[in-house]
Amino acid sequence: MKKALPLFISLFSISMAAQDHFSGIKNSNGVGILSATVNPAELSNLSSKYDVNVFSLSINASNNKVGFNDIINSDNIEDLIFQGDKPVNMRIDAEIYGPGFAMRLNKWAFGISTKAYAKLNLVDIDPTLGKSINDGTLGSVIGTSLISNNYNQRLNGTSWGELGLSVSRNLFENETHKFNAGATLKLLFPGSYTNFGADKFQGKIDNVLNEAYLNDTNASLNIAYSGNLTGSFTDFGDYSKSLFGNMNGLAADFGVNYQLKDKDSYRLNAGLAVKNIGGMTFKDSGNSSTNYALNIPTGTVINPGLNLNDFQNVESLQDAETLLLNSGYLTKNESKSEIKVKLPTVFSAYVDLKIVPTFFVSLYTQQKLNSDAANDQITTQNVISLTPRFSLKNFELYSPWAKNEISGTTGGFGFRVYGFYLGSSSIVTALASDTKQADVYLGYRLRLR
């Protein structure tokens, strides 16, 4: 674990990036394939007859403990992450869009897209437990800490690919109003998966001669791994090597859209969507998903409990699982080789309002419909954002401002020149204050006819 937990932290400090991907550009009135990922009904509003996505990349991370200035000024990020009493939450993820194509045909519009995801998450980690596992000590020669949590602590990583097939239909249109509806069917290609869950953790950590011993402990554990993450979860390359596996899952998006039109385009564009309804199954010869009961008796002089220093060189969940099994403190409750996980189903809504012919303001919200605590749930977070935008046909400037569930308030900047776009939803606050999030994205698209 000494090598595992700092991985997440170091990735944060390198990429510094939360999960409102492509904030600003996805609300552009220059509608393309990226807009359809917010709401498939937007395909009926394509700004050209044909739209081609060449490449898009968004890298994000957020946390609730470490700020931008902390990373610059501190030599020990782990100590900052695990300070205080507040549970640690961290999200690091990437979205990569490959070739995609969309077209309008009379009242219909069709699209096909390719996408890959990679996610690494710390969910509600108790800071005392995290620090003790990471350091193997409580930081003093003699001491005791009590841990009592009624939630599920998770360390989770997932990678998968998607092939999206979208269709949209214009239901009604006159000189003033326009109504559209759309749907996307996603074919899912599971890549790699790992999960360590510790639910309702109740225990005590005693520090004896600068070594931390866990004792008087009860918890329900889930240990699962698949694909390239079977052997290790400390190398981000293991995620990127298996973004696309074999097809073994389905999901769907549904959306509706309304426009209040004017002579140029619209005065108001609004939509509602429910996305990522579905899940996938990881199948691999090395798969394992096991539920355990962890029971460690009260420590004695002869047997003080589980020595957390033993986790210092653990590199994989298999190593941690083997260590725990050899300790004699684990009881197996259930084991299976297929790992079924749910996508992060979200409800999204937005309004884009034209203030003057070249200036727009967009309000967007994303709210998750499932809890991140379940061991079979891929995580996401709630977001609400406001984006003022200066827009011409071949040029746009915008500044997204958001309130994120984990990292708080962020502000960013981005631009589009013809088909190229580059931006960040948090670069302004990252440079101006001690924000706990930053991100970057870029891409290129072609509009034809």
Side-chain angles (χ1 to χ4, degrees):
M1 289 293 184
K2 180 69 175 176
K3 299 180 180 179
L5 293 178
L7 164 74
F8 288 78
I9 299 162
S10 61
L11 282 173
F12 171 76
S13 63
I14 293 171
S15 59
M16 269 305 292
Q19 300 185 358
D20 184 16
H21 287 279
F22 301 101
S23 183
I25 190 63
K26 67 184 179 184
N27 303 114
S28 168
N29 51 326
V31 176
I33 292 175
L34 203 60
S35 306
T37 65
V38 178
N39 184 350
E42 284 286 352
L43 281 179
S44 291
N45 299 326
L46 282 175
S47 53
S48 59
K49 185 172 183 180
Y50 304 105
D51 188 84
V52 178
N53 187 77
V54 179
F55 175 79
S56 302
L57 169 67
S58 176
I59 302 176
N60 298 340
S62 63
N63 83 108
N64 65 338
K65 289 294 188 77
V66 179
F68 187 79
N69 292 334
D70 295 327
I71 292 172
I72 294 175
N73 298 322
S74 177
D75 295 328
N76 196 336
I77 303 300
E78 297 97 309
D79 286 347
L80 296 176
I81 283 286
F82 295 120
Q83 69 180 355
D85 299 325
K86 190 176 181 179
V88 178
N89 281 278
M90 182 181 293
R91 307 286 191 271
I92 303 172
D93 62 303
E95 286 189 10
I96 305 169
Y97 287 76
F101 176 77
M103 64 176 293
R104 285 188 284 107
L105 182 64
N106 299 321
K107 289 182 175 293
W108 293 89
F110 304 92
I112 182 170
S113 61
T114 55
K115 188 190 304 185
Y117 292 89
K119 289 176 173 283
L120 300 92
N121 306 294
L122 296 177
V123 182
D124 290 333
I125 302 298
D126 184 280
T128 301
L129 181 61
K131 179 175 177 56
S132 298
I133 293 175
N134 188 59
D135 296 342
T137 177
L138 280 172
S140 60
V141 178
I142 298 176
T144 296
S145 288
L146 299 178
I147 298 174
S148 179
N149 301 318
N150 60 359
Y151 50 81
N152 190 22
Q153 305 176 62
R154 297 180 66 198
L155 187 155
N156 176 265
T158 317
S159 66
W160 78 97
E162 285 184 5
L163 175 64
L165 305 173
S166 302
V167 60
S168 178
R169 167 77 177 181
N170 174 231
L171 302 177
F172 173 82
E173 184 174 11
N174 60 20
E175 293 182 355
T176 307
H177 306 286
K178 183 179 181 181
F179 293 91
N180 308 313
T184 297
L185 175 66
K186 300 177 180 180
L187 309 182
L188 306 180
F189 300 83
S192 296
Y193 182 79
T194 184
N195 185 76
F196 180 88
D199 192 22
K200 295 179 175 60
F201 196 101
Q202 309 288 323
K204 182 173 66 171
I205 300 176
D206 290 328
N207 209 20
V208 180
L209 300 178
N210 211 35
E211 289 193 347
Y213 289 87
L214 186 64
N215 67 96
D216 194 16
T217 297
N218 294 281
S220 298
L221 304 186
N222 173 261
I223 301 176
Y225 39 82
S226 175
N228 283 355
L229 302 185
T230 299
S232 173
F233 62 97
T234 62
D235 186 355
F236 189 75
D238 290 334
Y239 294 81
S240 60
K241 289 175 184 176
S242 57
L243 291 176
F244 273 83
N246 296 321
M247 179 190 162
N248 204 6
L250 292 172
D253 300 346
F254 299 97
V256 292
N257 169 255
Y258 166 74
Q259 285 190 351
L260 179 62
K261 299 169 60 179
D262 63 13
K263 62 180 181 179
D264 298 319
S265 55
Y266 61 79
R267 283 183 284 172
L268 181 146
N269 183 51
L272 302 172
V274 179
K275 302 182 293 182
N276 294 331
I277 305 170
M280 55 189 168
T281 301
F282 290 82
K283 290 185 177 181
D284 188 86
S285 58
N287 272 19
S288 177
S289 179
T290 307
N291 292 327
Y292 293 100
L294 175 67
N295 294 286
I296 305 175
T298 301
T300 64
V301 175
I302 298 175
N303 181 17
L306 179 65
N307 190 343
L308 297 181
N309 193 60
D310 293 341
F311 289 90
Q312 294 298 288
N313 295 316
V314 166
E315 293 187 358
S316 71
L317 285 184
Q318 277 185 313
D319 291 345
E321 185 178 34
T322 299
L323 192 156
L324 289 169
L325 285 170
N326 291 341
S327 73
Y329 299 133
L330 277 188
T331 301
K332 183 184 294 186
N333 291 332
E334 180 186 12
S335 183
K336 52 189 177 181
S337 60
E338 289 189 358
I339 303 173
K340 296 182 179 181
V341 300
K342 302 173 185 175
L343 261 60
T345 305
V346 297
F347 167 79
S348 63
Y350 58 90
V351 175
D352 190 36
L353 180 66
K354 180 190 289 185
I355 307 301
V356 296
T358 59
F359 184 72
F360 297 75
V361 175
S362 295
L363 179 65
Y364 170 83
T365 184
Q366 170 184 292
Q367 301 295 314
K368 59 190 177 187
L369 300 182
N370 299 320
S371 170
D372 289 341
N375 286 311
D376 62 350
Q377 180 67 58
I378 297 175
T379 65
T380 189
Q381 64 173 301
N382 298 325
V383 178
I384 183 169
S385 65
L386 181 71
T387 305
R389 185 177 75 255
F390 173 75
S391 181
L392 299 175
K393 181 179 179 180
N394 296 315
F395 178 75
E396 284 184 291
L397 288 175
Y398 46 86
S399 180
W401 292 82
K403 181 72 173 179
N404 300 284
E405 177 185 2
I406 293 175
S407 58
T409 302
T410 60
F413 175 80
F415 68 89
R416 175 183 65 85
V417 178
Y418 288 90
F420 176 78
Y421 49 89
L422 173 67
S424 165
S425 65
S426 53
I427 185 63
V428 174
T429 45
L431 295 176
S433 66
D434 200 21
T435 183
K436 295 179 177 64
Q437 174 187 317
D439 66 284
V440 64
Y441 63 81
L442 58 87
Y444 187 78
R445 56 178 282 207
L446 294 173
R447 292 189 290 184
L448 305 176
R449 295 180 59 183

